[in-house]
Amino acid sequence: VQLQASGGGLVQAGGSLRLSCAASGRTFSSYLMGWFRQAPGKEREFVAAITASGGGTAYADSVKGRFTISRDAVKNTVYLQMNSLKPEDTADYYCASKLTRTTVPVTTAPGYAFWGQGTLVTVSS
């Protein structure tokens, strides 16, 4: 599967952005999807994940209550709605996927097989 992330940009603190990740292929509904981010000089970290069915989600503590992950099976797209953005949310954001129908969202990078290119989110103070 190929993943194409978009939606990054520059936003002021307190603002919102919605990231999109479009997936190729006809088996999107069989893929676990996740978002990760990497800030300059830091390791890649988990942000959010959603199971293939959409029935299970997981979030990093740092974004819980502010970010929402969702998926659209018709558009083969996963979204990350980011509200109340903070300067520390500044990073390259990556979407990832794995062919699995697990009911438990995967929160570690090695658990994903496919990665898209990053989309840069910059939050100014």
Side-chain angles (χ1 to χ4, degrees), residues 3 8 11-12 32 41 47 50 79 82 87 89-90 108 116 120 124:
L3 305 174
V11 64
Q12 289 188 332
L32 164 77
V47 176
I50 187 166
Y79 302 99
M82 305 185 296
D89 294 319
T90 294
T108 57
L120 178 62
S124 63

Side-chain angles (χ1 to χ4, degrees), residues 12 26 43 52 67 83 92 97 101:
Q12 289 188 332
R26 294 177 288 180
E43 293 186 353
F67 291 10
N83 299 328
D92 280 307
S97 69
R101 290 185 180 272

Side-chain angles (χ1 to χ4, degrees), residues 9-17 66-67 82-90 121-125:
L10 174 64
V11 64
Q12 289 188 332
S16 298
L17 280 175
R66 299 187 297 123
F67 291 10
M82 305 185 296
N83 299 328
S84 302
L85 282 161
K86 304 175 181 180
E88 51 263 44
D89 294 319
T90 294
V121 173
T122 304
V123 184
S124 63
S125 57

Side-chain angles (χ1 to χ4, degrees), residues 32-35 46-51 56-59 69 105-107 112:
L32 164 77
M33 302 295 296
W35 285 98
F46 169 75
V47 176
I50 187 166
T51 58
T57 57
Y59 297 91
I69 189 170
V106 176
T107 62
Y112 289 82

